[in-house]
Amino acid sequence: QLPTGLYKKVLVILHDSILPYMNEPTLMIDFLTVAYGVGGAISLLALNGLFILIHQHNLEYPDFYKKLYSLLDPSVYHVKYRARFFHLLDLFLSSSHLPAYLVAAFLKRLARLALTAPPEALLMVLPFICNLFRRHPACRVLVHRPGGPQDMSEDPYVMEEEEPSESRALESCLWEIQTLQNHYHPEVARAAAVLNRSLSELEDDISGLLELSAYELFDKEVKKKAADVPLEFEQIRGLFGKKNDIFAQHFALD
């Protein structure tokens, strides 16, 4: 049993500073699979090492996608290791051989969790969702479903279901994206509106958005040049600008 702090430090460097120098990296299978089952940030950090074992050493991990699906909770858009997690999630969902029900479950869960995500995370996950639609055209029914559910009460999707195949995601639609089209941040509303049009064949590059911070987003907005917007058509008179304003008899605006 390792202390939580040490557990995280080991997992952060395991994939590039330990596994490449081991004669038998497969000896770390038990350690990584146990770490993957712990939950929270430790599970997110274990993904890097597991990816190397799966990709380079033919590790077969039963229920891998089920566990990956369970890692999608409201905190995933707020954690320190968000960029690393979504980079790996993008890799794991890149195969065109994945069944449509599985990708639809991930799409629906990402969209549902996006309703409470901060703007900097939304600007990353919305292009991520568009890329999944480009790779898996069978899932576009989630966008183009006439007469689909319009809110959570009518939605057949079962958010609490741990098994992606039984979540009924393919029967639903992404009304959450339509909700985000009315987001208070104009960049988020613009990114969500992309799904109203035909998607291009080329995928969006999200590498520059993975580590986007709230400070960078705020700094970008502050540096924008605002156009002069007329606020009043008629020159204001009196304190409250009303005709026969009693205050105009006692106060004047110079």
Side-chain angles (χ1 to χ4, degrees), residues 165-226:
S165 60
E166 299 180 9
S167 64
R168 300 178 65 191
L170 267 180
E171 302 173 27
S172 181
C173 71
L174 291 188
W175 57 265
E176 295 91 346
I177 302 299
Q178 190 172 10
T179 302
L180 292 175
Q181 290 173 6
N182 299 309
H183 197 273
Y184 68 87
H185 197 289
E187 293 291 332
V188 173
R190 194 175 300 116
V194 169
L195 282 173
N196 289 342
R197 306 187 295 271
S198 297
L199 291 175
S200 61
E201 292 185 6
L202 292 176
E203 292 189 8
D204 296 324
D205 183 13
I206 64 168
S207 57
L209 301 172
L210 290 174
E211 298 189 16
L212 184 66
S213 66
Y215 175 80
E216 291 172 331
L217 201 60
F218 184 79
D219 191 53
K220 180 181 176 182
E221 291 296 322
V222 168
K223 290 180 179 178
K224 281 184 177 179
K225 292 184 179 180

Side-chain angles (χ1 to χ4, degrees), residues 108 111-112 115 142 145-159 168-169 171-180 182:
K108 186 64 179 175
R112 179 66 61 83
L115 293 175
L142 294 176
R145 170 167 281 142
Q150 299 299 316
D151 56 36
M152 196 178 298
S153 62
E154 301 175 2
D155 199 338
Y157 172 68
V158 185
M159 181 74 172
R168 300 178 65 191
E171 302 173 27
S172 181
C173 71
L174 291 188
W175 57 265
E176 295 91 346
I177 302 299
Q178 190 172 10
T179 302
L180 292 175
N182 299 309

Side-chain angles (χ1 to χ4, degrees), residues 236-253:
I236 190 170
R237 296 177 180 177
L239 191 61
F240 296 105
K242 297 179 180 178
K243 292 182 179 180
N244 302 323
D245 185 2
I246 190 172
F247 288 95
Q249 301 174 16
H250 307 285
F251 299 95
L253 296 177

Side-chain angles (χ1 to χ4, degrees), residues 101-112:
Y101 76 82
L102 180 66
V103 179
F106 276 92
L107 279 166
K108 186 64 179 175
R109 197 171 182 95
L110 285 169
R112 179 66 61 83

Side-chain angles (χ1 to χ4, degrees), residues 43-57:
S43 291
L44 299 185
L45 292 173
L47 271 175
N48 254 338
L50 274 178
F51 173 71
I52 291 177
L53 293 180
I54 291 171
H55 186 64
Q56 299 178 7
H57 301 281

Side-chain angles (χ1 to χ4, degrees), residues 56-115:
Q56 299 178 7
H57 301 281
N58 299 319
L59 169 65
E60 291 187 9
Y61 189 100
D63 296 330
F64 175 80
Y65 282 98
K66 177 182 176 181
K67 177 61 181 174
L68 186 64
Y69 180 72
S70 70
L71 291 180
L72 295 177
D73 58 27
S75 68
V76 77
Y77 289 125
H78 304 270
V79 291
K80 178 181 178 181
Y81 310 105
R82 183 186 72 203
R84 176 186 293 224
F85 173 71
F86 276 95
H87 170 69
L88 290 170
L89 184 63
D90 189 41
L91 289 174
F92 290 133
L93 295 177
S94 61
S95 172
S96 58
H97 298 292
L98 293 175
Y101 76 82
L102 180 66
V103 179
F106 276 92
L107 279 166
K108 186 64 179 175
R109 197 171 182 95
L110 285 169
R112 179 66 61 83
L113 295 175
L115 293 175

